[in-house]
Amino acid sequence: QVQLVESGGGRVQPGENLTLSCAHSGGMFNVWTMAWYRQAPGKQREMVASVTNVGQAKYADAVKGRFTASRDRGKNVLYLQMNNLRPEDTAIYYCNTIPGGRGIDFGRDVNPADFQFWGQGTQVTVSS
């Protein structure tokens, strides 16, 4: 049974930091590139970071230099270190794979229906 369990969200003030975790099981996640996605209120879901199976990471322009994605293949966990958070980072954050053939890329809206499964996500709220 495939499971994606995101955690670590919370309410913080601008400039503060959070680290999100995603525990994955039931699939070949350690072989695939994994990604972090987010959906802000009233907006489409977007990809903010990706990490290959050997730890190479890429980022959306909006988070570059502030967020760091990593993974521990031994523990089956994906991480997102978020520094210097801004109000515009407020969103529900999800982890998932990057399905092929769907045109999923940074700067493009993500259609949740293009994925076979989603976790429950973790809420991040940045507000003073």
Side-chain angles (χ1 to χ4, degrees):
Q1 180 182 357
V2 171
Q3 277 198 314
L4 296 168
V5 181
E6 301 91 347
S7 62
R11 186 182 185 95
V12 297
Q13 295 190 344
E16 294 187 336
N17 307 331
L18 277 176
T19 300
L20 307 183
S21 299
C22 166
H24 52 79
S25 62
M28 297 176 63
F29 297 109
N30 277 335
V31 177
W32 298 327
T33 293
M34 296 288 292
W36 284 98
Y37 301 85
R38 70 183 181 186
Q39 188 161 10
K43 294 189 176 181
Q44 297 295 318
R45 200 162 298 189
E46 62 176 347
M47 184 169 64
V48 296
S50 66
V51 188
T52 68
N53 61 348
V54 293
Q56 294 175 321
K58 295 183 179 180
Y59 304 95
D61 288 343
V63 306
K64 202 172 292 183
R66 299 188 298 121
F67 288 13
T68 302
S70 62
R71 63 196 300 174
D72 186 328
R73 294 175 64 187
K75 295 181 178 179
N76 293 338
V77 178
L78 185 70
Y79 300 102
L80 187 66
Q81 172 68 42
M82 306 187 296
N83 295 336
N84 190 22
L85 282 160
R86 304 169 179 171
E88 54 264 38
D89 296 318
T90 295
I92 300 174
Y93 284 72
Y94 304 87
C95 65
N96 214 319
T97 60
I98 306 177
R102 302 293 186 177
I104 294 170
D105 205 349
F106 297 111
R108 302 186 67 175
D109 292 339
V110 170
N111 182 359
D114 285 339
F115 297 70
Q116 290 185 314
F117 42 75
W118 286 97
Q120 83 289 348
T122 186
Q123 175 72 50
V124 172
T125 302
V126 186
S127 174
S128 55

